[in-house]
Amino acid sequence: MAGAAGPGTGPGAAGGDGDDSLYPIAVLIDELRNEDVQLRLNSIKKLSTIALALGVERTRTELLPFLTDTIYDEDEVLLALAEQLGNFTGLVGGPDFAHCLLPPLESLATVEETVVRDKAVESLRQISQEHTSVALEAHFVPLVKRLASGDWFTSRTSACGLFSVCYPRASNAVKAEIRQHFRSLCSDDTPMVRRAAASKLGEFAKVLELDSVKSEIVPLFTNLASDEQDSVRLLAVEACVSIAQLLSQEDLEALVMPILRQAAEDKSWRVRYMVADKFSELQKAVGPKITQNDLIPAFQNLLKDCEAEVRAAAAHKVKELCENLPIEGRETIIMNQILPYIKELVSDTNQHVKSALASVIMGLSTILGKENTIEHLLPLFLAQLKDECPEVRLNIISNLDCVNEVIGIRQLSQSLLPAIVELAEDAKWRVRLAIIEYMPLLAGQLGVEFFDEKLNSLCMAWLVDHVYAIREAATNNLMKLVQKFGTEWAQNTIVPKVLVMANDPNYLHRMTTLFCINALSEACGQEITTKQMLPIVLKMAGDQVANVRFNVAKSLQKIGPILDTDALQEEVKPVLQKLGQDEDMDVKYFAQEAMSVVAQRLRKLDLPVKDSDEPSAPGADKNHFLRPRGPGEDAGKVSRDRAARVASEAAVEAAQLGVGTQPRSGPAYQLCVNPRETLAHLEIVGLVHFSQSRD
Amino acid sequence: MATLMATLQYIISTVEFNHSGELLATGDKGGRVVIFQQEQENKIQSHSRGEYNVYSTFQSHEPEFDYLKSLEIEEKINKIRWLPQKNAAQFLLSTNDKTIKLWKISERDKRPEGYNLKEEDGRYRDPTTVTTLRVPVFRPMDLMVEASPRRIFANAHTYHINSISINSDYETYLSADDLRINLWHLEITDRSFNIVDIKPANMEELTEVITAAEFHPNSCNTFVYSSSKGTIRLCDMRASALCDRHSKLFEEPEDPSNRSFFSEIISSISDVKFSHSGRYMMTRDYLSVKIWDLNMENRPVETYQVHEYLRSKLCSLYENDCIFDKFECCWNGSDSVVMTGSYNNFFRMFDRNTKRDITLEASRENNKPRTVLKPRKVCASGKRKKDEISVDSLDFNKKILHTAWHPKENIIAVATTNNLYIFQDKVN
């Protein structure tokens, strides 16, 4: 049983006389009120186990009353409880008894923490479906009314989310009451409740009869949309979308549009922001005719709003808006009514506005077609490619594919190149990182010739960047380029340059060669790997820096599967064996690890690796420098204590978990710096391993 | 009638009633918050309605050290603000110079009883005797009041926080330091929005600092902040996301006849408070209290002199640094009377309708419970009448900086250095 955790499996339970199964449950129940939050949480998560053991009767009469009073607990416990109770119907005796779950959820629906309340409401909604119609009116609806007329606004906000689930199944008399309650919450004194009501207005409207929507929801909507609180008015915009879907065009025009127009010109920028943010939804909800007459002019205003936040939100929606216009006449509308405003935004004073625009503007080219793109959009792209803000340029470059389909990238390449070069050499490494990510995409679109001519040198320069993250990204980039341009290209352009770095005086660059080989070997295939890369790797096994040597071992492990067995047997194995005898223990360690992998491939070979010496799984860390160590090894003065402590912690943990108490060789991690290497090469991501034997 | 409340060990640094007036919170220099509750049982007997008893005490802030700037961060509570009540628990925000915390104060009167594997006293049972499962049951217990920290809003202020104020939308609040004002959501601690920034690019060009800021009581988009130059700026958050440009500037032209070396120092505003109606605001500078109509920017509608007799003593007040004292001020529940503190444990009340004013003294010697306070008078110069106190004998170490007025009743809380006095209307 899932509940058989914790001390339950300890020796204490062994003496039981046939009631073994009770013991774990007894522990779980006791831990419901343990001082440790984690244990309480654990018990709450196994509430179904407890309920199952108690049976439906005792769950209803004892467990649920206890849970109802447990609302003083930590949020995470309450959250878990609220979630559990949503799936509890079966455990209290099925739908006939679903109402027994209401009291604990009712008290959870009044706590101050929003996440807990929301979860309680979600569970209540779930349970409402399991009520019979009779039970719904007898138990659920009274609960909703109680919450709706509660003293504290937490309960009233929770009530707002429950109307829509009980309304459809209620009798007409009750329906009228429910509507009445909803009405009063919409004009509640506290803005919290009005906000909750406004956000559920659309949902409630959907379950109402159309007549009631017009006679009741629309007036409520009108009131909320002119609320004195900005935070209420902006939620009415959201409700607008749902309500608009329910009404006919005439009603829409008469009842909703005046309010939407008012919202788009609201004095508060937050309301206008909301209109901009929800523009696509609104556009779909009101249909093409109203869009053309009303929304387009409103959108123009939003694009030239005095508040930058609003302009940025609107700029984000430009492409979606254009896409959703009816195809007929779309081009004219965009050209005459949207494009002039976009042109203004390209030279906006706010960089967020410009970068929002840059992230979507390229998408317009597919909509407008080749000629318009060349004539009207291209100048804008070019202007943005020269923008002073790197984010704007990046956004343009990252969306090049849209333009490529329409006009081909050649049109842009003259301006593109300086922009790319500038970003590639940006002082901020995050900017450099971002442009590297787009290199494969650019390469695909610019073609191999252009790439070789202009961009190849950049890609190679990144390999010796002084930030590790850039070097790492550059290595991955090479792999993707090879996938794109093929092995022949790799052999001619990339591989020689990478291999030359194996002789670099800086050991970090020598290691970069190894990382590149790791990444490229698979894409390049067996022949290049065996003939060109392997010799270099093997040669580096004699490097004077231990870090390079153990990376050789790792590389051999990595490229092992690509090599044929002859090479493995005759070239790799001797080198690994030699490294296995290295004076540095880390080199030894990784050599042995590589050996065991190689050995699996060469099943015939007998390897001197015993089971007990086999390294534990976490050893295969891709980022190097962090090396697992068993407590049995000679781990040096400083790290020994730590390793021992970690090991004993692991033992304690193992004991707690009820697994064997024998301490496994738990990994301890060591981060050291080799004092013999120049400090200038040190950086956060490239901590150098401390070679103990040279000390 | 007066009730001497309690002698607090530390200097009180803020006093604040909650929205119903049932609870009163004080913060002190030691980072503690003490909450008093209005006497419940005798509520029918009106004479004891001013009784407040300690309800909960907790350590809100601890001293810290900013290692990057090598600065100590005091634990002193600068401000406390109560949240509108949302459920059976009470919530308040407390702040020191850097960090704002949201506290929950809740009552508990039940506790669970019954274990399966041990007795109530903690002794373990023999597991073999466990043959049936027991579910714990809640039983009544003595009332326990718990204060638990719910949110910590940190790392948003470079300078010292002087004000916090909760918005009428119940979901946001502002915090102001010397140069910036930030807007927070009460449920989000990792993000705040800067709405005002008066820091000049070059700090040598700095001419004024923000001294206080407050949200309008019912218009959620409006807030004001006061400056050390004696101006108050009103900002409209609807107009723009950044409120660096004000929509109204309240400033009284300087009276040239009163101009002196100290003019600028004494015109610095130490507190600004909106009236409950939201129509007026009150500002306190060193010597006076001014009431402004929000619709009139060029001068206050009312000005009350708090201790005009100190004008001749400014030089010595400058020397002993008293001139930089930050007096606060408060409105009564119906906005008809305002109150503020002075020196020598005196505090002043001004009736806006009758234009009468009164000086009262909060002191342990003179005030036994239920005695009626006698009005005090300070004579500026010349002949001293009986019962008058000469300016020269005022004790400038005894100052009343923090006062609060019950939102509904005529009950006031007055903090002298480390005593809290609660006074109420005389009842017969």
Coordinates of all heavy atoms in Angstrom, one line a residue, chain B residues 382-424:
Chain B
G382 N 7.1 87.9 28.3 CA 6.5 88.8 29.3 C 6.0 88.1 30.5 O 6.6 87.1 31.0
K383 N 5.0 88.6 31.0 CA 4.5 88.1 32.3 C 3.9 86.7 32.2 O 3.2 86.4 31.3 CB 3.4 89.1 32.9 CG 4.0 90.4 33.4 CD 2.9 91.2 34.1 CE 1.8 91.4 33.1 NZ 0.9 92.4 33.2
R384 N 4.3 85.9 33.2 CA 3.8 84.5 33.2 C 2.6 84.5 34.1 O 2.8 84.8 35.3 CB 4.9 83.6 33.6 CG 4.5 82.1 33.4 CD 5.8 81.3 33.4 NE 6.4 81.2 34.7 CZ 6.1 80.3 35.6 NH1 5.2 79.4 35.3 NH2 6.7 80.3 36.8
K385 N 1.5 84.1 33.6 CA 0.3 84.0 34.5 C 0.4 82.7 35.2 O 1.2 81.8 34.9 CB -1.0 84.0 33.6 CG -1.2 85.3 33.0 CD -2.6 85.3 32.3 CE -2.7 86.3 31.2 NZ -3.0 85.7 29.9
K386 N -0.5 82.5 36.2 CA -0.6 81.3 37.0 C -0.9 80.1 36.0 O -1.7 80.3 35.1 CB -1.7 81.5 38.0 CG -1.7 80.3 39.0 CD -2.7 80.7 40.2 CE -3.0 79.5 41.0 NZ -4.1 78.7 40.5
D387 N -0.4 79.0 36.3 CA -0.6 77.8 35.5 C 0.0 77.9 34.1 O -0.1 76.9 33.3 CB -2.1 77.5 35.2 CG -2.7 77.0 36.5 OD1 -1.9 76.5 37.4 OD2 -3.9 76.9 36.6
E388 N 0.7 78.9 33.8 CA 1.4 78.9 32.5 C 2.8 78.5 32.6 O 3.4 78.5 33.7 CB 1.4 80.4 31.9 CG 0.0 80.7 31.3 CD 0.1 82.0 30.5 OE1 1.1 82.7 30.6 OE2 -0.9 82.3 29.9
I389 N 3.3 78.0 31.5 CA 4.7 77.5 31.5 C 5.5 78.4 30.6 O 5.1 78.7 29.5 CB 4.7 76.0 31.0 CG1 3.9 75.1 31.9 CG2 6.1 75.5 30.9 CD1 2.9 74.3 31.1
S390 N 6.7 78.7 31.0 CA 7.5 79.5 30.2 C 8.2 78.7 29.1 O 8.5 77.5 29.3 CB 8.5 80.2 31.1 OG 9.8 80.1 30.5
V391 N 8.4 79.3 28.0 CA 9.1 78.6 26.9 C 10.4 78.1 27.3 O 10.8 77.0 26.9 CB 9.3 79.6 25.7 CG1 10.0 78.9 24.5 CG2 8.0 80.2 25.3
D392 N 11.1 78.8 28.1 CA 12.4 78.4 28.5 C 12.5 77.1 29.4 O 13.5 76.4 29.5 CB 13.2 79.5 29.3 CG 13.3 80.7 28.3 OD1 13.7 80.5 27.2 OD2 13.0 81.8 28.8
S393 N 11.3 76.8 30.0 CA 11.3 75.6 30.9 C 10.8 74.4 30.1 O 10.6 73.3 30.8 CB 10.5 75.9 32.1 OG 9.2 76.2 31.8
L394 N 10.5 74.5 28.8 CA 10.0 73.3 28.1 C 11.1 72.3 28.0 O 12.3 72.6 27.8 CB 9.6 73.7 26.7 CG 8.3 74.6 26.6 CD1 8.1 75.0 25.1 CD2 7.1 73.9 27.2
D395 N 10.8 71.0 28.1 CA 11.7 70.0 28.0 C 11.7 69.4 26.6 O 10.7 68.8 26.2 CB 11.4 68.8 29.0 CG 12.4 67.7 29.0 OD1 13.3 67.7 28.0 OD2 12.4 66.9 29.9
F396 N 12.8 69.7 25.8 CA 12.8 69.3 24.4 C 13.1 67.8 24.2 O 13.1 67.3 23.1 CB 13.7 70.2 23.6 CG 13.3 71.6 23.5 CD1 13.9 72.6 24.2 CD2 12.1 71.9 22.8 CE1 13.4 73.9 24.1 CE2 11.7 73.2 22.7 CZ 12.3 74.2 23.4
N397 N 13.5 67.1 25.3 CA 13.7 65.7 25.1 C 12.4 64.9 25.2 O 12.3 63.8 24.8 CB 14.6 65.2 26.2 CG 16.0 65.7 26.0 OD1 16.5 65.7 24.8 ND2 16.7 66.2 27.0
K398 N 11.4 65.6 25.8 CA 10.1 64.9 25.9 C 9.2 65.4 24.7 O 8.7 66.4 24.7 CB 9.4 65.3 27.2 CG 10.1 64.7 28.4 CD 9.2 65.1 29.6 CE 9.8 64.5 30.9 NZ 9.2 65.1 32.1
K399 N 9.2 64.6 23.7 CA 8.5 65.0 22.5 C 7.4 64.0 22.1 O 7.6 62.8 22.3 CB 9.4 65.3 21.3 CG 10.5 64.3 21.1 CD 11.5 64.7 20.2 CE 12.9 64.5 20.7 NZ 14.0 65.2 19.9
I400 N 6.3 64.5 21.6 CA 5.3 63.5 21.1 C 5.3 63.6 19.6 O 4.8 64.6 19.0 CB 3.9 63.9 21.7 CG1 4.0 63.7 23.2 CG2 2.8 63.1 21.1 CD1 2.7 64.0 24.0
L401 N 5.8 62.6 19.0 CA 5.9 62.5 17.5 C 4.8 61.8 16.9 O 4.3 62.1 15.9 CB 7.2 61.9 17.1 CG 8.5 62.6 17.6 CD1 9.7 61.8 17.1 CD2 8.6 64.0 17.1
H402 N 4.3 60.7 17.6 CA 3.3 59.8 17.0 C 2.0 59.8 17.8 O 2.0 59.6 19.0 CB 3.9 58.4 17.1 CG 5.3 58.3 16.6 ND1 5.6 58.4 15.2 CD2 6.5 58.2 17.2 CE1 6.9 58.4 15.1 NE2 7.5 58.2 16.3
T403 N 1.0 60.1 17.1 CA -0.4 60.1 17.7 C -1.3 59.4 16.8 O -1.0 59.3 15.6 CB -0.9 61.5 17.9 OG1 -1.0 62.2 16.7 CG2 -0.1 62.3 18.9
A404 N -2.4 58.8 17.3 CA -3.4 58.2 16.4 C -4.8 58.4 17.0 O -4.9 58.6 18.2 CB -3.1 56.7 16.3
W405 N -5.8 58.5 16.1 CA -7.1 58.8 16.6 C -8.0 57.6 16.1 O -7.9 57.2 15.0 CB -7.7 60.1 15.9 CG -8.8 60.7 16.7 CD1 -9.9 60.1 17.1 CD2 -8.9 62.0 17.1 NE1 -10.7 61.0 17.8 CE2 -10.1 62.2 17.8 CE3 -8.0 63.2 17.0 CZ2 -10.5 63.4 18.4 CZ3 -8.4 64.4 17.6 CH2 -9.7 64.5 18.3
H406 N -8.8 57.0 17.1 CA -9.7 56.0 16.8 C -10.6 56.4 15.6 O -11.1 57.5 15.5 CB -10.6 55.7 18.0 CG -11.4 54.5 18.0 ND1 -12.5 54.4 17.1 CD2 -11.4 53.3 18.7 CE1 -13.0 53.2 17.3 NE2 -12.4 52.5 18.2
P407 N -10.8 55.5 14.6 CA -11.5 55.9 13.4 C -13.0 56.2 13.6 O -13.6 56.9 12.8 CB -11.4 54.7 12.5 CG -11.0 53.6 13.3 CD -10.3 54.1 14.5
K408 N -13.6 55.8 14.7 CA -15.0 56.0 14.9 C -15.3 56.8 16.2 O -16.2 57.6 16.3 CB -15.7 54.7 14.9 CG -15.6 54.0 13.6 CD -16.5 52.7 13.6 CE -16.3 52.0 12.3 NZ -15.7 50.7 12.4
E409 N -14.5 56.5 17.3 CA -14.8 57.1 18.5 C -13.8 58.2 18.9 O -12.8 58.3 18.3 CB -14.9 56.0 19.6 CG -15.9 55.0 19.4 CD -15.8 53.8 20.3 OE1 -15.5 54.1 21.5 OE2 -15.9 52.6 19.9
N410 N -14.1 58.9 20.0 CA -13.1 59.9 20.5 C -12.2 59.2 21.5 O -12.2 59.5 22.6 CB -13.9 61.1 21.1 CG -14.3 62.1 20.1 OD1 -13.7 62.1 19.0 ND2 -15.3 62.8 20.4
I411 N -11.4 58.4 20.9 CA -10.3 57.7 21.7 C -9.0 58.0 21.0 O -9.0 57.9 19.7 CB -10.5 56.2 21.8 CG1 -11.8 55.9 22.5 CG2 -9.3 55.5 22.4 CD1 -12.2 54.4 22.5
I412 N -8.0 58.5 21.7 CA -6.8 58.8 21.0 C -5.6 58.1 21.7 O -5.7 57.7 22.9 CB -6.4 60.3 21.0 CG1 -6.4 60.9 22.5 CG2 -7.4 61.1 20.2 CD1 -5.8 62.3 22.6
A413 N -4.6 57.8 20.9 CA -3.4 57.1 21.4 C -2.3 58.1 21.2 O -2.1 58.7 20.1 CB -3.2 55.8 20.7
V414 N -1.5 58.3 22.2 CA -0.4 59.3 22.2 C 0.9 58.6 22.7 O 0.9 58.0 23.8 CB -0.7 60.5 23.1 CG1 0.5 61.4 23.2 CG2 -2.0 61.2 22.6
A415 N 1.9 58.6 21.9 CA 3.1 58.0 22.3 C 4.1 59.0 22.7 O 4.5 59.9 21.9 CB 3.7 57.2 21.1
T416 N 4.5 59.0 24.0 CA 5.7 59.8 24.4 C 6.9 58.9 24.2 O 6.7 57.8 23.7 CB 5.6 60.2 25.9 OG1 5.6 59.0 26.7 CG2 4.3 61.0 26.1
T417 N 8.0 59.3 24.6 CA 9.2 58.4 24.2 C 9.0 56.9 24.4 O 9.0 56.2 23.4 CB 10.5 58.9 25.0 OG1 10.0 59.5 26.2 CG2 11.3 59.8 24.2
N418 N 8.7 56.5 25.6 CA 8.5 55.1 25.7 C 7.2 54.7 26.5 O 7.1 53.7 27.1 CB 9.7 54.4 26.3 CG 10.1 55.0 27.6 OD1 9.4 55.9 28.1 ND2 11.2 54.5 28.2
N419 N 6.3 55.7 26.5 CA 5.0 55.4 27.1 C 3.9 55.6 26.1 O 4.0 56.4 25.2 CB 4.7 56.3 28.3 CG 5.5 56.1 29.4 OD1 5.7 54.9 29.9 ND2 6.2 57.1 30.0
L420 N 2.9 54.7 26.2 CA 1.7 54.9 25.3 C 0.5 55.3 26.2 O 0.2 54.6 27.1 CB 1.4 53.6 24.6 CG 0.2 53.6 23.7 CD1 0.4 54.5 22.5 CD2 -0.2 52.2 23.2
Y421 N -0.1 56.4 25.9 CA -1.2 56.9 26.6 C -2.4 56.8 25.8 O -2.4 57.0 24.6 CB -1.1 58.4 27.0 CG 0.1 58.6 28.0 CD1 1.4 58.8 27.5 CD2 -0.2 58.7 29.3 CE1 2.4 59.0 28.3 CE2 0.9 58.9 30.2 CZ 2.2 59.1 29.7 OH 3.2 59.3 30.6
I422 N -3.5 56.3 26.4 CA -4.8 56.3 25.6 C -5.8 57.1 26.4 O -6.0 56.9 27.6 CB -5.3 54.8 25.5 CG1 -4.3 54.1 24.6 CG2 -6.7 54.8 24.9 CD1 -4.6 52.7 24.3
F423 N -6.3 58.1 25.7 CA -7.3 59.0 26.3 C -8.6 58.9 25.6 O -8.7 58.6 24.5 CB -6.8 60.5 26.2 CG -5.5 60.8 26.8 CD1 -4.4 60.9 26.0 CD2 -5.3 60.9 28.2 CE1 -3.1 61.1 26.5 CE2 -4.0 61.1 28.7 CZ -2.9 61.3 27.9
Q424 N -9.7 59.1 26.4 CA -11.0 59.1 25.7 C -11.8 60.3 26.3 O -11.5 60.9 27.3 CB -11.7 57.8 25.9 CG -12.1 57.6 27.4 CD -13.0 56.3 27.5 OE1 -13.0 55.5 26.7 NE2 -13.7 56.3 28.6

